[in-house]
């Protein structure tokens, strides 16, 4: 889950999909949730690769959330 919009996280998820070719990386926008805007999913047969990808995405999203917004 992330509070970032799907537009902001799409490049991160796309980069993860390119880096971990054996995995499926997806996202589902949520319009009814107050705490978050997108659920990201990672599917694959190798649990260690899924975890590695998830850790990378989590780190990239954390960095993205630290970036100043245009109004700041």
């Amino acid at each position: 889950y992330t509070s970032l919009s799907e537009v902001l996280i799409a490049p991160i998820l796309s980069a993860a999909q390119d880096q971990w070719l054996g995995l499926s990386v997806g996202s589902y926008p949520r319009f009814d949730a107050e705490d978050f805007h997108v659920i990201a999913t990672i599917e694959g047969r190798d649990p260690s690769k899924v975890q590695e990808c998830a850790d990378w995405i989590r780190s990239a999203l954390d960095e993205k959330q630290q970036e100043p917004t245009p109004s700041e």
Side-chain angles (χ1 to χ4, degrees):
Y1 304 103
T2 181
S3 60
L4 294 168
S5 72
E6 191 168 32
V7 170
L8 291 175
I9 72 166
I12 294 168
L13 299 181
S14 180
Q17 182 69 71
D18 291 344
Q19 187 169 341
W20 285 275
L21 297 176
L23 302 180
S24 279
V25 178
S27 62
Y28 300 90
R30 296 294 304 259
F31 302 104
D32 59 344
E34 292 181 27
D35 296 6
F36 59 92
H37 298 290
V38 179
I39 297 173
T41 62
I42 306 161
E43 297 180 46
R45 294 185 182 269
D46 184 340
S48 66
K49 294 293 182 189
V50 170
Q51 187 62 55
E52 183 181 321
C53 181
D55 291 343
W56 184 87
I57 289 172
R58 190 173 295 112
S59 176
L61 292 176
D62 287 346
E63 286 180 29
K64 187 60 132 174
Q65 281 191 299
Q66 299 304 316
E67 291 179 4
T69 59
S71 63
E72 293 182 339

